[in-house]
Amino acid sequence: MPVFSVTFRFLALTALWLSLRATAADYQLEPLAEGLQHPWSVAQLPDASFLVTERGGALLHISADGSKQTAIGGVPQTFVAGQGGFFDILLHPQFATNQLVYLSYAKGDSAANGTAIYRARLEGDTLVAGADILWVSDKKNTAQHYGGRLLFLPDNSLLLATGDGFDFREQAQNGSNELGKVLRILDDGSVPADNPFRTTGSERVWTLGHRNPQGLTLDRSTGTVYLHEHGPKGGDEVNVLQAASNYGWPAATHGVDYSGAYVSPFTQLPGMAPPLHYWVPSIAPSGFAWYGGDKFPAWQGKLLVGALVDKEVRLLSLEDGAIVDEAPLFSELGERIRDVREGSDGFVYLLTDAEDGALIRVTPAR
């Protein structure tokens, strides 16, 4: 790359950083890397550098200061169409010793595709010994509603949130079908012996009744698992996940169809868990983090939810297990927020969803 191009890029990033810093009262926004093509997920490595997925099928290694981007080799081929492509990237809890990473992605073709998990070992800038450890058993011929978020639980089991495939929403209530579910496996892809539906449905199903989950996070102080998902027209939800629970879709919802017609006349039904929180109209939630770091004491114990429609992050305050307050953050960016994460360093990291997306670090104001 010519020197003048690198210099211009640096100056542009610096100008953006200074302008954002001037608008923030309690934090500052530091763009680390730009030119990312619809980035979807970010994970911070032990050396403070980053792995970032791009929906189009690339996995990037970005240096801690953002100055260097390298494409990771050894990634699987993905089905790129509609909402399909690469999704979440997650490190194994013992990554420091085993170097294992987990990538969720759309696998298949237009006739038969579904969400899959690829596990591999990271060696330098290459994934080696990679293999799929899960591919949703029920394939679809649509390119929408994949879900794709991953989360390790404290027992090292792994959750995958799957979407209902858009045209197959009734299957979200079918315990023998893996669409519209949260699936639980062990870190090698095998099935935990205590999964709730091993004898009555799909053995990997942990919860059911989901539409298009786009966020999973863990309260590290209590072990509470939170999930958020897109409703249709209205009815985006935050749910507290518990094994064997049914979260209602499409039998119960606070949203309506895009035409304005009822999906269901019911917002709540016996035996189905109501949402902890919901939005009408929709905010299109994306990315999810429970903040437990020490860099932002005012955010400790709160939830951070990316909002694609409103181009901001929502800060949700919890009290006795209920959401009691909601405040916007980072709206000065004016960008769709695809991912929001607490880094291992206690800072917050954002990905903006665009052809020219960015990785942004949130630090306390100085």
Side-chain angles (χ1 to χ4, degrees), residues 318-352:
L318 294 155
E319 187 175 301
D320 298 325
I323 293 174
V324 296
D325 187 53
E326 182 173 350
L329 293 172
F330 320 135
S331 57
E332 62 269 30
L333 281 169
E335 297 284 351
R336 288 162 50 92
I337 305 298
R338 175 58 69 183
D339 202 11
V340 51
R341 301 281 176 141
E342 178 191 346
S344 56
D345 53 16
F347 298 126
V348 171
Y349 292 90
L350 310 174
L351 288 176
T352 63

PDB file of all heavy atoms in Angstrom, residues 318-352:
ATOM      1  N   LEU A 318     -30.657  -3.476  35.519  1.00  0.00           N
ATOM      2  CA  LEU A 318     -31.369  -4.575  36.170  1.00  0.00           C
ATOM      3  C   LEU A 318     -31.518  -4.303  37.664  1.00  0.00           C
ATOM      4  O   LEU A 318     -30.609  -3.751  38.303  1.00  0.00           O
ATOM      5  CB  LEU A 318     -30.607  -5.888  35.975  1.00  0.00           C
ATOM      6  CG  LEU A 318     -30.527  -6.412  34.539  1.00  0.00           C
ATOM      7  CD1 LEU A 318     -29.318  -7.310  34.360  1.00  0.00           C
ATOM      8  CD2 LEU A 318     -31.801  -7.171  34.195  1.00  0.00           C
ATOM      9  N   GLU A 319     -32.661  -4.714  38.206  1.00  0.00           N
ATOM     10  CA  GLU A 319     -32.900  -4.623  39.646  1.00  0.00           C
ATOM     11  C   GLU A 319     -33.803  -5.777  40.046  1.00  0.00           C
ATOM     12  O   GLU A 319     -34.921  -5.901  39.544  1.00  0.00           O
ATOM     13  CB  GLU A 319     -33.555  -3.285  40.000  1.00  0.00           C
ATOM     14  CG  GLU A 319     -33.682  -3.036  41.494  1.00  0.00           C
ATOM     15  CD  GLU A 319     -34.216  -1.652  41.782  1.00  0.00           C
ATOM     16  OE1 GLU A 319     -33.565  -0.665  41.342  1.00  0.00           O
ATOM     17  OE2 GLU A 319     -35.282  -1.551  42.418  1.00  0.00           O
ATOM     18  N   ASP A 320     -33.308  -6.644  40.930  1.00  0.00           N
ATOM     19  CA  ASP A 320     -34.066  -7.817  41.372  1.00  0.00           C
ATOM     20  C   ASP A 320     -34.556  -8.641  40.186  1.00  0.00           C
ATOM     21  O   ASP A 320     -35.689  -9.146  40.160  1.00  0.00           O
ATOM     22  CB  ASP A 320     -35.253  -7.406  42.251  1.00  0.00           C
ATOM     23  CG  ASP A 320     -34.818  -6.705  43.532  1.00  0.00           C
ATOM     24  OD1 ASP A 320     -33.760  -7.080  44.062  1.00  0.00           O
ATOM     25  OD2 ASP A 320     -35.520  -5.779  43.968  1.00  0.00           O
ATOM     26  N   GLY A 321     -33.700  -8.777  39.178  1.00  0.00           N
ATOM     27  CA  GLY A 321     -34.011  -9.605  38.027  1.00  0.00           C
ATOM     28  C   GLY A 321     -34.898  -8.967  36.989  1.00  0.00           C
ATOM     29  O   GLY A 321     -35.224  -9.604  35.984  1.00  0.00           O
ATOM     30  N   ALA A 322     -35.300  -7.714  37.179  1.00  0.00           N
ATOM     31  CA  ALA A 322     -36.152  -7.008  36.220  1.00  0.00           C
ATOM     32  C   ALA A 322     -35.373  -5.877  35.568  1.00  0.00           C
ATOM     33  O   ALA A 322     -34.459  -5.294  36.175  1.00  0.00           O
ATOM     34  CB  ALA A 322     -37.389  -6.450  36.909  1.00  0.00           C
ATOM     35  N   ILE A 323     -35.715  -5.565  34.323  1.00  0.00           N
ATOM     36  CA  ILE A 323     -35.127  -4.414  33.648  1.00  0.00           C
ATOM     37  C   ILE A 323     -35.920  -3.177  34.035  1.00  0.00           C
ATOM     38  O   ILE A 323     -37.125  -3.089  33.770  1.00  0.00           O
ATOM     39  CB  ILE A 323     -35.115  -4.621  32.125  1.00  0.00           C
ATOM     40  CG1 ILE A 323     -34.147  -5.769  31.777  1.00  0.00           C
ATOM     41  CG2 ILE A 323     -34.699  -3.342  31.393  1.00  0.00           C
ATOM     42  CD1 ILE A 323     -34.152  -6.173  30.331  1.00  0.00           C
ATOM     43  N   VAL A 324     -35.254  -2.225  34.699  1.00  0.00           N
ATOM     44  CA  VAL A 324     -35.950  -1.076  35.273  1.00  0.00           C
ATOM     45  C   VAL A 324     -35.622   0.235  34.576  1.00  0.00           C
ATOM     46  O   VAL A 324     -36.261   1.255  34.847  1.00  0.00           O
ATOM     47  CB  VAL A 324     -35.637  -0.952  36.784  1.00  0.00           C
ATOM     48  CG1 VAL A 324     -36.168  -2.165  37.542  1.00  0.00           C
ATOM     49  CG2 VAL A 324     -34.125  -0.797  37.029  1.00  0.00           C
ATOM     50  N   ASP A 325     -34.641   0.211  33.677  1.00  0.00           N
ATOM     51  CA  ASP A 325     -34.281   1.449  33.000  1.00  0.00           C
ATOM     52  C   ASP A 325     -33.578   1.106  31.698  1.00  0.00           C
ATOM     53  O   ASP A 325     -32.940   0.057  31.580  1.00  0.00           O
ATOM     54  CB  ASP A 325     -33.351   2.306  33.883  1.00  0.00           C
ATOM     55  CG  ASP A 325     -33.084   3.672  33.285  1.00  0.00           C
ATOM     56  OD1 ASP A 325     -34.058   4.379  32.958  1.00  0.00           O
ATOM     57  OD2 ASP A 325     -31.900   4.034  33.113  1.00  0.00           O
ATOM     58  N   GLU A 326     -33.703   2.004  30.726  1.00  0.00           N
ATOM     59  CA  GLU A 326     -33.114   1.818  29.408  1.00  0.00           C
ATOM     60  C   GLU A 326     -32.611   3.163  28.913  1.00  0.00           C
ATOM     61  O   GLU A 326     -33.349   4.152  28.942  1.00  0.00           O
ATOM     62  CB  GLU A 326     -34.158   1.246  28.451  1.00  0.00           C
ATOM     63  CG  GLU A 326     -33.656   0.960  27.066  1.00  0.00           C
ATOM     64  CD  GLU A 326     -34.694   0.234  26.219  1.00  0.00           C
ATOM     65  OE1 GLU A 326     -35.730  -0.204  26.775  1.00  0.00           O
ATOM     66  OE2 GLU A 326     -34.464   0.109  25.001  1.00  0.00           O
ATOM     67  N   ALA A 327     -31.339   3.208  28.499  1.00  0.00           N
ATOM     68  CA  ALA A 327     -30.758   4.468  28.053  1.00  0.00           C
ATOM     69  C   ALA A 327     -29.945   4.240  26.778  1.00  0.00           C
ATOM     70  O   ALA A 327     -29.296   3.199  26.626  1.00  0.00           O
ATOM     71  CB  ALA A 327     -29.860   5.060  29.136  1.00  0.00           C
ATOM     72  N   PRO A 328     -29.962   5.207  25.839  1.00  0.00           N
ATOM     73  CA  PRO A 328     -29.183   5.064  24.604  1.00  0.00           C
ATOM     74  C   PRO A 328     -27.723   5.443  24.818  1.00  0.00           C
ATOM     75  O   PRO A 328     -27.399   6.336  25.603  1.00  0.00           O
ATOM     76  CB  PRO A 328     -29.878   6.036  23.652  1.00  0.00           C
ATOM     77  CG  PRO A 328     -30.416   7.115  24.562  1.00  0.00           C
ATOM     78  CD  PRO A 328     -30.790   6.430  25.838  1.00  0.00           C
ATOM     79  N   LEU A 329     -26.842   4.757  24.103  1.00  0.00           N
ATOM     80  CA  LEU A 329     -25.417   5.061  24.089  1.00  0.00           C
ATOM     81  C   LEU A 329     -24.918   5.069  22.649  1.00  0.00           C
ATOM     82  O   LEU A 329     -25.461   4.359  21.796  1.00  0.00           O
ATOM     83  CB  LEU A 329     -24.614   4.010  24.874  1.00  0.00           C
ATOM     84  CG  LEU A 329     -24.791   3.921  26.379  1.00  0.00           C
ATOM     85  CD1 LEU A 329     -24.052   2.701  26.911  1.00  0.00           C
ATOM     86  CD2 LEU A 329     -24.289   5.184  27.065  1.00  0.00           C
ATOM     87  N   PHE A 330     -23.890   5.851  22.381  1.00  0.00           N
ATOM     88  CA  PHE A 330     -23.114   5.830  21.141  1.00  0.00           C
ATOM     89  C   PHE A 330     -23.924   6.227  19.912  1.00  0.00           C
ATOM     90  O   PHE A 330     -23.529   5.925  18.785  1.00  0.00           O
ATOM     91  CB  PHE A 330     -22.473   4.447  20.911  1.00  0.00           C
ATOM     92  CG  PHE A 330     -21.920   3.800  22.139  1.00  0.00           C
ATOM     93  CD1 PHE A 330     -22.165   2.464  22.406  1.00  0.00           C
ATOM     94  CD2 PHE A 330     -21.132   4.525  23.036  1.00  0.00           C
ATOM     95  CE1 PHE A 330     -21.654   1.848  23.537  1.00  0.00           C
ATOM     96  CE2 PHE A 330     -20.616   3.917  24.181  1.00  0.00           C
ATOM     97  CZ  PHE A 330     -20.887   2.581  24.422  1.00  0.00           C
ATOM     98  N   SER A 331     -25.030   6.925  20.105  1.00  0.00           N
ATOM     99  CA  SER A 331     -25.829   7.336  18.945  1.00  0.00           C
ATOM    100  C   SER A 331     -25.084   8.337  18.075  1.00  0.00           C
ATOM    101  O   SER A 331     -25.422   8.510  16.896  1.00  0.00           O
ATOM    102  CB  SER A 331     -27.161   7.934  19.408  1.00  0.00           C
ATOM    103  OG  SER A 331     -26.947   9.020  20.289  1.00  0.00           O
ATOM    104  N   GLU A 332     -24.036   8.972  18.627  1.00  0.00           N
ATOM    105  CA  GLU A 332     -23.258   9.920  17.838  1.00  0.00           C
ATOM    106  C   GLU A 332     -22.534   9.241  16.679  1.00  0.00           C
ATOM    107  O   GLU A 332     -22.134   9.907  15.714  1.00  0.00           O
ATOM    108  CB  GLU A 332     -22.248  10.674  18.721  1.00  0.00           C
ATOM    109  CG  GLU A 332     -21.209   9.818  19.398  1.00  0.00           C
ATOM    110  CD  GLU A 332     -21.627   9.336  20.765  1.00  0.00           C
ATOM    111  OE1 GLU A 332     -22.844   9.154  20.992  1.00  0.00           O
ATOM    112  OE2 GLU A 332     -20.745   9.136  21.627  1.00  0.00           O
ATOM    113  N   LEU A 333     -22.372   7.929  16.743  1.00  0.00           N
ATOM    114  CA  LEU A 333     -21.762   7.215  15.630  1.00  0.00           C
ATOM    115  C   LEU A 333     -22.633   7.272  14.378  1.00  0.00           C
ATOM    116  O   LEU A 333     -22.125   7.294  13.258  1.00  0.00           O
ATOM    117  CB  LEU A 333     -21.530   5.745  16.009  1.00  0.00           C
ATOM    118  CG  LEU A 333     -20.319   5.423  16.871  1.00  0.00           C
ATOM    119  CD1 LEU A 333     -20.404   3.994  17.371  1.00  0.00           C
ATOM    120  CD2 LEU A 333     -19.030   5.630  16.087  1.00  0.00           C
ATOM    121  N   GLY A 334     -23.945   7.228  14.553  1.00  0.00           N
ATOM    122  CA  GLY A 334     -24.848   7.217  13.407  1.00  0.00           C
ATOM    123  C   GLY A 334     -24.693   5.978  12.559  1.00  0.00           C
ATOM    124  O   GLY A 334     -24.910   6.015  11.344  1.00  0.00           O
ATOM    125  N   GLU A 335     -24.342   4.844  13.182  1.00  0.00           N
ATOM    126  CA  GLU A 335     -24.072   3.604  12.456  1.00  0.00           C
ATOM    127  C   GLU A 335     -24.862   2.444  13.064  1.00  0.00           C
ATOM    128  O   GLU A 335     -25.120   2.417  14.271  1.00  0.00           O
ATOM    129  CB  GLU A 335     -22.574   3.256  12.524  1.00  0.00           C
ATOM    130  CG  GLU A 335     -21.659   4.263  11.859  1.00  0.00           C
ATOM    131  CD  GLU A 335     -21.665   4.162  10.353  1.00  0.00           C
ATOM    132  OE1 GLU A 335     -22.250   3.183   9.819  1.00  0.00           O
ATOM    133  OE2 GLU A 335     -21.072   5.033   9.700  1.00  0.00           O
ATOM    134  N   ARG A 336     -25.222   1.490  12.215  1.00  0.00           N
ATOM    135  CA  ARG A 336     -25.823   0.249  12.693  1.00  0.00           C
ATOM    136  C   ARG A 336     -24.785  -0.526  13.504  1.00  0.00           C
ATOM    137  O   ARG A 336     -23.679  -0.775  13.016  1.00  0.00           O
ATOM    138  CB  ARG A 336     -26.289  -0.601  11.506  1.00  0.00           C
ATOM    139  CG  ARG A 336     -27.511  -0.066  10.806  1.00  0.00           C
ATOM    140  CD  ARG A 336     -27.675  -0.651   9.410  1.00  0.00           C
ATOM    141  NE  ARG A 336     -27.581  -2.108   9.360  1.00  0.00           N
ATOM    142  CZ  ARG A 336     -28.617  -2.946   9.452  1.00  0.00           C
ATOM    143  NH1 ARG A 336     -29.842  -2.454   9.606  1.00  0.00           N
ATOM    144  NH2 ARG A 336     -28.450  -4.250   9.366  1.00  0.00           N
ATOM    145  N   ILE A 337     -25.134  -0.900  14.719  1.00  0.00           N
ATOM    146  CA  ILE A 337     -24.214  -1.628  15.583  1.00  0.00           C
ATOM    147  C   ILE A 337     -24.517  -3.113  15.467  1.00  0.00           C
ATOM    148  O   ILE A 337     -25.593  -3.574  15.851  1.00  0.00           O
ATOM    149  CB  ILE A 337     -24.331  -1.178  17.049  1.00  0.00           C
ATOM    150  CG1 ILE A 337     -24.135   0.335  17.168  1.00  0.00           C
ATOM    151  CG2 ILE A 337     -23.327  -1.931  17.916  1.00  0.00           C
ATOM    152  CD1 ILE A 337     -22.780   0.826  16.719  1.00  0.00           C
ATOM    153  N   ARG A 338     -23.562  -3.876  14.939  1.00  0.00           N
ATOM    154  CA  ARG A 338     -23.768  -5.313  14.752  1.00  0.00           C
ATOM    155  C   ARG A 338     -23.328  -6.115  15.958  1.00  0.00           C
ATOM    156  O   ARG A 338     -23.941  -7.114  16.317  1.00  0.00           O
ATOM    157  CB  ARG A 338     -23.025  -5.788  13.501  1.00  0.00           C
ATOM    158  CG  ARG A 338     -23.065  -7.283  13.275  1.00  0.00           C
ATOM    159  CD  ARG A 338     -24.475  -7.839  13.168  1.00  0.00           C
ATOM    160  NE  ARG A 338     -25.142  -7.406  11.951  1.00  0.00           N
ATOM    161  CZ  ARG A 338     -26.395  -7.713  11.646  1.00  0.00           C
ATOM    162  NH1 ARG A 338     -27.131  -8.428  12.496  1.00  0.00           N
ATOM    163  NH2 ARG A 338     -26.934  -7.279  10.531  1.00  0.00           N
ATOM    164  N   ASP A 339     -22.237  -5.726  16.590  1.00  0.00           N
ATOM    165  CA  ASP A 339     -21.770  -6.482  17.754  1.00  0.00           C
ATOM    166  C   ASP A 339     -21.333  -5.525  18.843  1.00  0.00           C
ATOM    167  O   ASP A 339     -20.830  -4.425  18.562  1.00  0.00           O
ATOM    168  CB  ASP A 339     -20.602  -7.406  17.370  1.00  0.00           C
ATOM    169  CG  ASP A 339     -20.434  -8.572  18.342  1.00  0.00           C
ATOM    170  OD1 ASP A 339     -21.342  -8.787  19.186  1.00  0.00           O
ATOM    171  OD2 ASP A 339     -19.414  -9.281  18.268  1.00  0.00           O
ATOM    172  N   VAL A 340     -21.532  -5.944  20.082  1.00  0.00           N
ATOM    173  CA  VAL A 340     -21.045  -5.207  21.249  1.00  0.00           C
ATOM    174  C   VAL A 340     -20.511  -6.242  22.225  1.00  0.00           C
ATOM    175  O   VAL A 340     -21.189  -7.215  22.547  1.00  0.00           O
ATOM    176  CB  VAL A 340     -22.150  -4.322  21.880  1.00  0.00           C
ATOM    177  CG1 VAL A 340     -23.420  -5.106  22.154  1.00  0.00           C
ATOM    178  CG2 VAL A 340     -21.656  -3.653  23.152  1.00  0.00           C
ATOM    179  N   ARG A 341     -19.267  -6.054  22.657  1.00  0.00           N
ATOM    180  CA  ARG A 341     -18.590  -7.035  23.510  1.00  0.00           C
ATOM    181  C   ARG A 341     -17.805  -6.329  24.610  1.00  0.00           C
ATOM    182  O   ARG A 341     -17.240  -5.255  24.393  1.00  0.00           O
ATOM    183  CB  ARG A 341     -17.599  -7.868  22.703  1.00  0.00           C
ATOM    184  CG  ARG A 341     -18.187  -8.658  21.554  1.00  0.00           C
ATOM    185  CD  ARG A 341     -18.850  -9.921  22.019  1.00  0.00           C
ATOM    186  NE  ARG A 341     -19.483 -10.632  20.923  1.00  0.00           N
ATOM    187  CZ  ARG A 341     -19.488 -11.958  20.791  1.00  0.00           C
ATOM    188  NH1 ARG A 341     -18.874 -12.700  21.680  1.00  0.00           N
ATOM    189  NH2 ARG A 341     -20.098 -12.523  19.773  1.00  0.00           N
ATOM    190  N   GLU A 342     -17.735  -6.977  25.753  1.00  0.00           N
ATOM    191  CA  GLU A 342     -16.754  -6.570  26.759  1.00  0.00           C
ATOM    192  C   GLU A 342     -15.473  -7.328  26.472  1.00  0.00           C
ATOM    193  O   GLU A 342     -15.476  -8.563  26.393  1.00  0.00           O
ATOM    194  CB  GLU A 342     -17.235  -6.899  28.169  1.00  0.00           C
ATOM    195  CG  GLU A 342     -16.217  -6.528  29.236  1.00  0.00           C
ATOM    196  CD  GLU A 342     -16.547  -7.077  30.614  1.00  0.00           C
ATOM    197  OE1 GLU A 342     -17.697  -7.522  30.832  1.00  0.00           O
ATOM    198  OE2 GLU A 342     -15.640  -7.084  31.476  1.00  0.00           O
ATOM    199  N   GLY A 343     -14.372  -6.595  26.276  1.00  0.00           N
ATOM    200  CA  GLY A 343     -13.098  -7.242  26.021  1.00  0.00           C
ATOM    201  C   GLY A 343     -12.482  -7.779  27.289  1.00  0.00           C
ATOM    202  O   GLY A 343     -12.898  -7.455  28.408  1.00  0.00           O
ATOM    203  N   SER A 344     -11.462  -8.616  27.135  1.00  0.00           N
ATOM    204  CA  SER A 344     -10.754  -9.152  28.297  1.00  0.00           C
ATOM    205  C   SER A 344     -10.037  -8.053  29.064  1.00  0.00           C
ATOM    206  O   SER A 344      -9.667  -8.241  30.227  1.00  0.00           O
ATOM    207  CB  SER A 344      -9.760 -10.221  27.846  1.00  0.00           C
ATOM    208  OG  SER A 344      -8.858  -9.696  26.880  1.00  0.00           O
ATOM    209  N   ASP A 345      -9.863  -6.897  28.429  1.00  0.00           N
ATOM    210  CA  ASP A 345      -9.218  -5.757  29.082  1.00  0.00           C
ATOM    211  C   ASP A 345     -10.220  -4.856  29.798  1.00  0.00           C
ATOM    212  O   ASP A 345      -9.842  -3.829  30.374  1.00  0.00           O
ATOM    213  CB  ASP A 345      -8.423  -4.935  28.064  1.00  0.00           C
ATOM    214  CG  ASP A 345      -9.252  -4.529  26.847  1.00  0.00           C
ATOM    215  OD1 ASP A 345     -10.502  -4.616  26.906  1.00  0.00           O
ATOM    216  OD2 ASP A 345      -8.659  -4.126  25.829  1.00  0.00           O
ATOM    217  N   GLY A 346     -11.513  -5.197  29.778  1.00  0.00           N
ATOM    218  CA  GLY A 346     -12.527  -4.398  30.456  1.00  0.00           C
ATOM    219  C   GLY A 346     -13.095  -3.269  29.632  1.00  0.00           C
ATOM    220  O   GLY A 346     -14.069  -2.631  30.053  1.00  0.00           O
ATOM    221  N   PHE A 347     -12.517  -3.002  28.456  1.00  0.00           N
ATOM    222  CA  PHE A 347     -13.099  -2.007  27.555  1.00  0.00           C
ATOM    223  C   PHE A 347     -14.260  -2.639  26.783  1.00  0.00           C
ATOM    224  O   PHE A 347     -14.424  -3.861  26.761  1.00  0.00           O
ATOM    225  CB  PHE A 347     -12.050  -1.463  26.584  1.00  0.00           C
ATOM    226  CG  PHE A 347     -10.913  -0.745  27.246  1.00  0.00           C
ATOM    227  CD1 PHE A 347      -9.598  -1.115  26.999  1.00  0.00           C
ATOM    228  CD2 PHE A 347     -11.151   0.315  28.126  1.00  0.00           C
ATOM    229  CE1 PHE A 347      -8.540  -0.454  27.608  1.00  0.00           C
ATOM    230  CE2 PHE A 347     -10.096   0.979  28.743  1.00  0.00           C
ATOM    231  CZ  PHE A 347      -8.796   0.595  28.488  1.00  0.00           C
ATOM    232  N   VAL A 348     -15.073  -1.802  26.171  1.00  0.00           N
ATOM    233  CA  VAL A 348     -16.185  -2.274  25.347  1.00  0.00           C
ATOM    234  C   VAL A 348     -15.799  -2.102  23.884  1.00  0.00           C
ATOM    235  O   VAL A 348     -15.190  -1.082  23.506  1.00  0.00           O
ATOM    236  CB  VAL A 348     -17.472  -1.500  25.671  1.00  0.00           C
ATOM    237  CG1 VAL A 348     -18.592  -1.831  24.676  1.00  0.00           C
ATOM    238  CG2 VAL A 348     -17.931  -1.825  27.093  1.00  0.00           C
ATOM    239  N   TYR A 349     -16.150  -3.099  23.071  1.00  0.00           N
ATOM    240  CA  TYR A 349     -15.824  -3.059  21.645  1.00  0.00           C
ATOM    241  C   TYR A 349     -17.100  -3.161  20.820  1.00  0.00           C
ATOM    242  O   TYR A 349     -18.013  -3.930  21.147  1.00  0.00           O
ATOM    243  CB  TYR A 349     -14.862  -4.198  21.291  1.00  0.00           C
ATOM    244  CG  TYR A 349     -13.508  -3.980  21.912  1.00  0.00           C
ATOM    245  CD1 TYR A 349     -13.220  -4.473  23.181  1.00  0.00           C
ATOM    246  CD2 TYR A 349     -12.534  -3.223  21.257  1.00  0.00           C
ATOM    247  CE1 TYR A 349     -11.988  -4.237  23.773  1.00  0.00           C
ATOM    248  CE2 TYR A 349     -11.302  -2.994  21.841  1.00  0.00           C
ATOM    249  CZ  TYR A 349     -11.032  -3.496  23.100  1.00  0.00           C
ATOM    250  OH  TYR A 349      -9.819  -3.242  23.686  1.00  0.00           O
ATOM    251  N   LEU A 350     -17.152  -2.364  19.756  1.00  0.00           N
ATOM    252  CA  LEU A 350     -18.303  -2.302  18.871  1.00  0.00           C
ATOM    253  C   LEU A 350     -17.876  -2.638  17.452  1.00  0.00           C
ATOM    254  O   LEU A 350     -16.749  -2.321  17.042  1.00  0.00           O
ATOM    255  CB  LEU A 350     -18.914  -0.893  18.866  1.00  0.00           C
ATOM    256  CG  LEU A 350     -19.212  -0.228  20.204  1.00  0.00           C
ATOM    257  CD1 LEU A 350     -19.671   1.212  19.976  1.00  0.00           C
ATOM    258  CD2 LEU A 350     -20.256  -1.012  20.976  1.00  0.00           C
ATOM    259  N   LEU A 351     -18.790  -3.255  16.698  1.00  0.00           N
ATOM    260  CA  LEU A 351     -18.633  -3.407  15.257  1.00  0.00           C
ATOM    261  C   LEU A 351     -19.789  -2.697  14.574  1.00  0.00           C
ATOM    262  O   LEU A 351     -20.955  -2.897  14.953  1.00  0.00           O
ATOM    263  CB  LEU A 351     -18.647  -4.878  14.845  1.00  0.00           C
ATOM    264  CG  LEU A 351     -17.429  -5.724  15.205  1.00  0.00           C
ATOM    265  CD1 LEU A 351     -17.669  -7.174  14.812  1.00  0.00           C
ATOM    266  CD2 LEU A 351     -16.152  -5.200  14.545  1.00  0.00           C
ATOM    267  N   THR A 352     -19.472  -1.860  13.592  1.00  0.00           N
ATOM    268  CA  THR A 352     -20.523  -1.207  12.817  1.00  0.00           C
ATOM    269  C   THR A 352     -20.792  -2.013  11.556  1.00  0.00           C
ATOM    270  O   THR A 352     -19.873  -2.493  10.893  1.00  0.00           O
ATOM    271  CB  THR A 352     -20.141   0.240  12.453  1.00  0.00           C
ATOM    272  OG1 THR A 352     -18.977   0.236  11.608  1.00  0.00           O
ATOM    273  CG2 THR A 352     -19.853   1.053  13.703  1.00  0.00           C
TER     274      THR A 352
END
